[in-house]
Amino acid sequence: MCLGCDFRSNTNKMVSLNVYLLLLAGVQFAMTAPNRDRRRQDTEGCSRSSPDLNECVGNSIQYFVNFMASGKITPKVAITAFDPLLLPNMTISHQTKNFNAIYVNRYLLGLKNSFIYDTSVDLDKFDFSTTFLMPALELLGMYSGESLDDQEATENSILTISVRSSTAKFRVKGELFKSAARVEFLRLNVTDVDLTMGPYVINDLDHSTHIPRVNRHFNSIPRPEFVKLIEKDLRVQLSSRLQHIANEVLALAPYEKFFPV
Protein backbone atom coordinates (compact mmCIF):
# COMPACT_ATOMS: atom_id res chain seq x y z
CA MET A 1 0.00 0.00 0.00
CA CYS A 2 1.38 3.40 -0.99
CA LEU A 3 0.88 5.84 1.88
CA GLY A 4 0.40 9.44 0.82
CA CYS A 5 0.24 8.85 -2.90
CA ASP A 6 -3.00 10.84 -3.31
CA PHE A 7 -2.56 14.58 -3.20
CA ARG A 8 -5.69 15.02 -5.26
CA SER A 9 -6.32 18.73 -4.87
CA ASN A 10 -4.53 22.02 -4.26
CA THR A 11 -6.25 22.19 -0.89
CA ASN A 12 -4.75 18.89 0.19
CA LYS A 13 -1.35 20.03 -1.01
CA MET A 14 -1.59 23.20 1.06
CA VAL A 15 -2.68 21.27 4.15
CA SER A 16 0.23 18.86 3.74
CA LEU A 17 2.71 21.70 3.35
CA ASN A 18 1.38 23.44 6.46
CA VAL A 19 1.64 20.19 8.40
CA TYR A 20 5.22 19.78 7.24
CA LEU A 21 6.09 23.32 8.35
CA LEU A 22 4.61 22.62 11.77
CA LEU A 23 6.70 19.45 12.15
CA LEU A 24 9.93 21.15 11.16
CA ALA A 25 9.30 24.18 13.37
CA GLY A 26 9.99 21.94 16.35
CA VAL A 27 13.51 21.09 15.25
CA GLN A 28 14.91 24.30 16.74
CA PHE A 29 13.20 23.63 20.06
CA ALA A 30 15.10 20.36 20.36
CA MET A 31 18.49 21.90 19.59
CA THR A 32 20.98 23.45 21.97
CA ALA A 33 21.27 27.23 21.99
CA PRO A 34 24.65 27.36 20.14
CA ASN A 35 23.26 25.22 17.34
CA ARG A 36 20.20 27.42 16.99
CA ASP A 37 22.42 30.46 16.44
CA ARG A 38 24.71 28.60 14.05
CA ARG A 39 22.09 26.87 11.93
CA ARG A 40 18.79 28.58 11.13
CA GLN A 41 16.36 25.78 10.35
CA ASP A 42 12.96 27.40 10.63
CA THR A 43 11.46 25.45 7.75
CA GLU A 44 14.38 24.23 5.65
CA GLY A 45 14.34 20.61 6.77
CA CYS A 46 17.59 18.68 7.11
CA SER A 47 19.93 19.52 4.25
CA ARG A 48 21.34 16.49 2.46
CA SER A 49 24.77 18.16 2.26
CA SER A 50 24.90 19.35 5.86
CA PRO A 51 27.77 18.03 8.01
CA ASP A 52 25.23 17.98 10.86
CA LEU A 53 22.71 15.80 9.03
CA ASN A 54 22.76 13.06 11.68
CA GLU A 55 22.20 15.57 14.47
CA CYS A 56 19.40 17.32 12.57
CA VAL A 57 17.52 14.09 11.90
CA GLY A 58 18.02 12.92 15.49
CA ASN A 59 16.69 16.22 16.88
CA SER A 60 13.70 16.10 14.54
CA ILE A 61 12.83 12.57 15.70
CA GLN A 62 13.29 13.62 19.34
CA TYR A 63 10.89 16.54 18.97
CA PHE A 64 8.30 14.39 17.21
CA VAL A 65 8.49 11.62 19.83
CA ASN A 66 8.15 14.05 22.75
CA PHE A 67 5.39 16.27 21.41
CA MET A 68 3.39 14.33 18.80
CA ALA A 69 2.67 11.12 20.71
CA SER A 70 -1.08 11.71 20.64
CA GLY A 71 -1.03 11.68 16.83
CA LYS A 72 -2.61 15.14 16.59
CA ILE A 73 -0.53 17.16 14.14
CA THR A 74 -3.03 19.95 13.55
CA PRO A 75 -6.71 20.33 14.48
CA LYS A 76 -7.59 18.80 11.09
CA VAL A 77 -4.72 16.36 10.54
CA ALA A 78 -3.84 13.34 12.66
CA ILE A 79 -1.74 10.22 12.39
CA THR A 80 -1.74 7.02 14.43
CA ALA A 81 -1.05 7.70 18.11
CA PHE A 82 1.95 5.90 19.60
CA ASP A 83 1.58 6.66 23.32
CA PRO A 84 -0.42 4.74 24.25
CA LEU A 85 0.51 2.35 21.44
CA LEU A 86 -2.26 -0.16 20.82
CA LEU A 87 -1.04 -3.74 20.30
CA PRO A 88 -2.80 -6.77 18.83
CA ASN A 89 -3.87 -9.76 20.89
CA MET A 90 -1.15 -12.23 21.80
CA THR A 91 -1.58 -16.00 22.03
CA ILE A 92 0.81 -18.00 24.20
CA SER A 93 1.14 -21.77 23.87
CA HIS A 94 3.31 -24.01 25.98
CA GLN A 95 3.38 -27.60 24.77
CA THR A 96 5.54 -28.88 27.62
CA LYS A 97 3.09 -27.51 30.20
CA ASN A 98 0.10 -28.38 28.00
CA PHE A 99 -1.17 -24.87 28.44
CA ASN A 100 -2.62 -22.01 26.35
CA ALA A 101 -3.12 -18.35 27.23
CA ILE A 102 -4.27 -15.13 25.61
CA TYR A 103 -3.14 -11.59 26.37
CA VAL A 104 -5.68 -9.17 24.86
CA ASN A 105 -6.67 -5.48 24.77
CA ARG A 106 -3.00 -4.62 25.10
CA TYR A 107 -1.37 -1.23 24.99
CA LEU A 108 2.10 0.16 25.66
CA LEU A 109 2.80 3.36 27.61
CA GLY A 110 6.01 5.38 27.83
CA LEU A 111 7.38 5.77 24.30
CA LYS A 112 6.90 9.56 24.39
CA ASN A 113 9.54 9.81 27.12
CA SER A 114 12.21 8.12 25.01
CA PHE A 115 15.62 9.67 24.40
CA ILE A 116 16.98 9.50 20.85
CA TYR A 117 20.70 9.07 20.29
CA ASP A 118 23.25 7.47 17.98
CA THR A 119 21.35 8.49 14.85
CA SER A 120 23.04 7.68 11.54
CA VAL A 121 21.85 8.71 8.07
CA ASP A 122 23.24 7.73 4.67
CA LEU A 123 21.03 9.31 2.01
CA ASP A 124 23.11 7.90 -0.84
CA LYS A 125 22.11 4.38 0.21
CA PHE A 126 18.94 5.43 2.08
CA ASP A 127 20.22 3.70 5.20
CA PHE A 128 19.04 5.00 8.57
CA SER A 129 19.58 3.89 12.14
CA THR A 130 18.68 5.36 15.51
CA THR A 131 18.57 4.17 19.08
CA PHE A 132 15.74 4.78 21.55
CA LEU A 133 16.50 4.81 25.28
CA MET A 134 13.18 4.11 27.00
CA PRO A 135 13.38 4.90 30.73
CA ALA A 136 10.02 3.39 31.67
CA LEU A 137 7.54 1.26 29.73
CA GLU A 138 4.22 -0.13 30.93
CA LEU A 139 2.56 -2.98 29.04
CA LEU A 140 -1.05 -3.58 30.10
CA GLY A 141 -3.74 -6.00 29.00
CA MET A 142 -6.23 -8.70 29.98
CA TYR A 143 -4.73 -12.13 30.58
CA SER A 144 -6.37 -15.53 30.82
CA GLY A 145 -5.02 -19.07 30.54
CA GLU A 146 -6.29 -22.57 30.13
CA SER A 147 -4.86 -25.97 30.98
CA LEU A 148 -5.40 -28.44 28.14
CA ASP A 149 -5.43 -31.25 30.69
CA ASP A 150 -8.50 -30.18 32.66
CA GLN A 151 -9.88 -27.34 30.45
CA GLU A 152 -9.96 -25.14 33.52
CA ALA A 153 -9.75 -21.50 32.50
CA THR A 154 -8.51 -18.80 34.83
CA GLU A 155 -10.55 -15.72 35.57
CA ASN A 156 -9.64 -12.73 33.49
CA SER A 157 -6.91 -10.71 35.15
CA ILE A 158 -5.18 -7.42 34.44
CA LEU A 159 -1.58 -8.17 33.65
CA THR A 160 0.83 -5.25 33.92
CA ILE A 161 4.49 -5.50 32.98
CA SER A 162 6.66 -2.57 34.11
CA VAL A 163 10.05 -2.33 32.44
CA ARG A 164 12.85 0.12 33.20
CA SER A 165 15.85 1.28 31.17
CA SER A 166 15.21 -0.50 27.88
CA THR A 167 16.88 0.25 24.56
CA ALA A 168 15.80 -0.35 20.99
CA LYS A 169 18.03 0.23 17.96
CA PHE A 170 16.14 0.54 14.69
CA ARG A 171 17.84 -0.13 11.37
CA VAL A 172 15.85 1.20 8.46
CA LYS A 173 16.04 1.08 4.67
CA GLY A 174 14.38 3.83 2.65
CA GLU A 175 13.16 4.14 -0.91
CA LEU A 176 11.70 6.88 -3.04
CA PHE A 177 8.42 6.53 -4.86
CA LYS A 178 6.38 8.91 -6.99
CA SER A 179 2.82 9.93 -6.31
CA ALA A 180 0.15 10.19 -8.98
CA ALA A 181 1.27 13.81 -9.39
CA ARG A 182 4.86 12.59 -10.06
CA VAL A 183 6.12 14.01 -6.75
CA GLU A 184 8.76 12.00 -4.89
CA PHE A 185 8.09 10.76 -1.37
CA LEU A 186 10.26 8.77 1.02
CA ARG A 187 9.04 5.46 2.39
CA LEU A 188 10.80 3.49 5.14
CA ASN A 189 11.12 -0.20 5.87
CA VAL A 190 12.41 -1.29 9.28
CA THR A 191 14.85 -4.12 8.59
CA ASP A 192 15.94 -4.88 12.15
CA VAL A 193 15.15 -3.95 15.76
CA ASP A 194 17.70 -4.76 18.43
CA LEU A 195 15.58 -4.61 21.60
CA THR A 196 17.02 -5.02 25.08
CA MET A 197 14.55 -4.98 27.93
CA GLY A 198 15.77 -3.78 31.30
CA PRO A 199 14.67 -4.85 34.80
CA TYR A 200 10.98 -5.68 35.00
CA VAL A 201 8.15 -6.14 37.49
CA ILE A 202 5.04 -8.19 36.67
CA ASN A 203 1.77 -7.57 38.51
CA ASP A 204 -1.13 -9.96 38.06
CA LEU A 205 -4.27 -8.26 39.40
CA ASP A 206 -7.71 -9.70 39.91
CA HIS A 207 -10.14 -8.01 37.51
CA SER A 208 -12.79 -7.37 40.17
CA THR A 209 -10.75 -6.55 43.25
CA HIS A 210 -7.41 -5.33 41.80
CA ILE A 211 -5.68 -7.31 44.53
CA PRO A 212 -2.52 -9.20 43.57
CA ARG A 213 -3.22 -12.90 43.50
CA VAL A 214 -1.67 -16.16 42.42
CA ASN A 215 -2.70 -17.09 38.90
CA ARG A 216 -2.04 -20.83 38.70
CA HIS A 217 -1.90 -20.98 34.93
CA PHE A 218 0.19 -17.84 34.58
CA ASN A 219 2.70 -19.11 37.12
CA SER A 220 3.06 -22.37 35.20
CA ILE A 221 5.41 -20.52 32.83
CA PRO A 222 8.74 -19.43 34.36
CA ARG A 223 8.93 -15.65 34.46
CA PRO A 224 12.18 -15.37 32.43
CA GLU A 225 10.65 -17.54 29.72
CA PHE A 226 7.47 -15.48 29.69
CA VAL A 227 9.45 -12.22 29.44
CA LYS A 228 11.42 -13.60 26.49
CA LEU A 229 8.10 -14.18 24.71
CA ILE A 230 7.03 -10.62 25.50
CA GLU A 231 10.38 -9.24 24.32
CA LYS A 232 10.11 -11.13 21.02
CA ASP A 233 6.56 -9.88 20.50
CA LEU A 234 7.47 -6.27 21.34
CA ARG A 235 10.32 -6.37 18.83
CA VAL A 236 7.86 -7.32 16.10
CA GLN A 237 5.19 -4.83 17.20
CA LEU A 238 7.56 -1.87 17.53
CA SER A 239 9.01 -2.64 14.10
CA SER A 240 5.69 -2.80 12.26
CA ARG A 241 3.83 -0.06 14.13
CA LEU A 242 6.56 2.56 14.28
CA GLN A 243 7.35 1.90 10.62
CA HIS A 244 3.71 2.60 9.76
CA ILE A 245 3.67 5.81 11.83
CA ALA A 246 6.95 7.07 10.35
CA ASN A 247 5.55 6.56 6.85
CA GLU A 248 2.38 8.41 7.79
CA VAL A 249 4.55 11.40 8.75
CA LEU A 250 6.71 11.19 5.61
CA ALA A 251 3.57 11.06 3.48
CA LEU A 252 2.66 14.56 4.67
CA ALA A 253 5.26 16.28 2.49
CA PRO A 254 7.57 15.48 -0.45
CA TYR A 255 11.06 14.11 0.10
CA GLU A 256 12.70 17.39 -0.97
CA LYS A 257 10.89 19.23 1.83
CA PHE A 258 12.24 16.95 4.52
CA PHE A 259 15.67 16.62 2.90
CA PRO A 260 16.41 19.63 0.67
CA VAL A 261 19.60 19.81 -1.36
Side-chain angles (χ1 to χ4, degrees):
M1 179 178 179
C2 182
L3 292 173
C5 289
D6 280 335
F7 280 73
R8 293 187 176 90
S9 67
N10 290 333
T11 300
N12 287 340
K13 291 179 181 178
M14 185 60 67
V15 170
S16 297
L17 180 57
N18 289 338
V19 169
Y20 157 76
L21 295 179
L22 177 63
L23 289 171
L24 266 295
V27 173
Q28 286 180 292
F29 183 85
M31 293 179 179
T32 60
N35 282 338
R36 286 201 301 268
D37 295 337
R38 178 166 51 90
R39 295 160 58 229
R40 301 301 298 174
Q41 286 190 249
D42 297 283
T43 57
E44 302 104 11
C46 294
S47 173
R48 300 175 216 177
S49 59
S50 171
D52 301 315
L53 177 61
N54 291 342
E55 179 187 3
C56 179
V57 172
N59 285 328
S60 299
I61 297 172
Q62 183 72 72
Y63 176 83
F64 178 79
V65 166
N66 291 157
F67 299 102
M68 302 288 180
S70 68
K72 294 181 180 179
I73 307 299
T74 73
K76 294 183 178 181
V77 178
I79 62 170
T80 302
F82 59 87
D83 199 344
L85 182 67
L86 299 182
L87 302 176
N89 296 340
M90 181 180 180
T91 300
I92 302 168
S93 297
H94 200 294
Q95 294 181 350
T96 303
K97 301 290 185 178
N98 210 19
F99 158 83
N100 284 332
I102 55 172
Y103 193 15
V104 302
N105 298 329
R106 300 188 303 153
Y107 57 95
L108 184 69
L109 293 169
L111 287 176
K112 68 180 179 182
N113 298 319
S114 299
F115 296 97
I116 309 301
Y117 69 99
D118 193 25
T119 299
S120 176
V121 179
D122 184 341
L123 291 180
D124 292 329
K125 298 180 179 179
F126 289 113
D127 288 336
F128 304 83
S129 69
T130 190
T131 301
F132 283 55
L133 172 61
M134 302 168 287
L137 296 176
E138 301 284 337
L139 177 61
L140 299 92
M142 299 297 299
Y143 181 92
S144 63
E146 180 182 62
S147 171
L148 301 182
D149 293 328
D150 54 20
Q151 299 297 312
E152 181 184 350
T154 66
E155 297 177 2
N156 286 333
S157 56
I158 301 172
L159 183 62
T160 304
I161 305 174
S162 302
V163 190
R164 299 293 180 265
S165 302
S166 301
T167 61
K169 182 171 185 178
F170 294 83
R171 296 180 180 87
V172 181
K173 188 72 175 179
E175 63 175 336
L176 295 179
F177 68 91
K178 290 186 178 180
S179 69
R182 310 305 294 171
V183 178
E184 284 191 320
F185 289 84
L186 177 63
R187 177 168 50 210
L188 301 179
N189 177 46
V190 177
T191 58
D192 180 62
V193 178
D194 185 7
L195 175 65
T196 303
M197 287 175 56
Y200 62 88
V201 175
I202 298 178
N203 294 320
D204 177 28
L205 304 181
D206 182 85
H207 183 46
S208 58
T209 65
H210 295 272
I211 298 175
R213 64 179 177 83
V214 176
N215 184 320
R216 180 170 64 87
H217 294 303
F218 175 71
N219 289 330
S220 66
I221 302 179
R223 291 295 171 95
E225 184 177 341
F226 177 78
V227 171
K228 284 184 179 180
L229 293 175
I230 293 296
E231 186 175 47
K232 180 180 179 180
D233 175 73
L234 275 182
R235 188 180 299 112
V236 173
Q237 303 309 328
L238 289 175
S239 174
S240 62
R241 276 150 181 75
L242 294 187
Q243 173 183 296
H244 176 77
I245 293 168
N247 284 328
E248 285 186 312
V249 174
L250 293 171
L252 297 175
Y255 171 70
E256 65 178 9
K257 294 295 183 180
F258 284 106
F259 296 101
V261 178

